[in-house]
Amino acid sequence: MADQTVYQTEKTLNELGDKIDASEKATIQAAIDKLKEVNKGTDVAAIKAATEEVQQAFYKVSEKLYQQAAPQGDQGCGNNGNCGNDDGVVDADYETVD
């Protein structure tokens, strides 16, 4: 589990590149390095704690990136739930007059 967490987190950090600032990247990398070191031992509780630390550090950055991607939340969603999906159809009541 710890090896997978290290691999996935490092891979994602590389893919993100400059989308996150250096201090955030350094925080995550420090947690990864700690996990790598602890994973060499046999203390299961320490490995779990270090794994959790990596995940929490990454989640904080992920949440920030998500908020930057959609700073206003559901933009375009009105009370009608349309959410900007305008297909050109207008619902209307009509009456035929002869």
Side-chain angles (χ1 to χ4, degrees):
M1 174 82 172
D3 290 331
Q4 183 179 7
T5 300
V6 168
Y7 172 77
Q8 285 293 345
T9 306
E10 286 181 331
K11 180 181 175 192
T12 305
L13 276 180
N14 289 332
E15 290 172 356
L16 289 174
D18 60 351
K19 292 181 182 177
I20 60 175
D21 64 36
S23 66
E24 291 171 330
K25 192 178 260 189
T27 300
I28 295 170
Q29 189 59 54
I32 291 171
D33 293 341
K34 179 181 176 183
L35 177 56
K36 285 180 180 179
E37 192 61 36
V38 171
N39 198 32
K40 292 177 185 177
T42 57
D43 186 351
V44 176
I47 293 170
K48 285 182 180 180
T51 301
E52 180 71 21
E53 186 178 330
V54 170
Q55 291 171 341
Q56 289 301 317
F58 189 75
Y59 290 156
K60 287 179 184 177
V61 172
S62 299
E63 183 178 6
K64 184 177 177 182
L65 289 173
Y66 179 75
Q67 289 173 350
Q68 288 173 351
Q72 300 299 321
D74 292 331
Q75 291 181 343
C77 289
N79 292 334
N80 63 1
N82 189 14
C83 294
N85 297 330
D86 186 9
D87 57 4
V89 176
V90 177
D91 290 332
D93 290 331
Y94 67 93
E95 181 179 328
T96 306
V97 178
D98 290 327

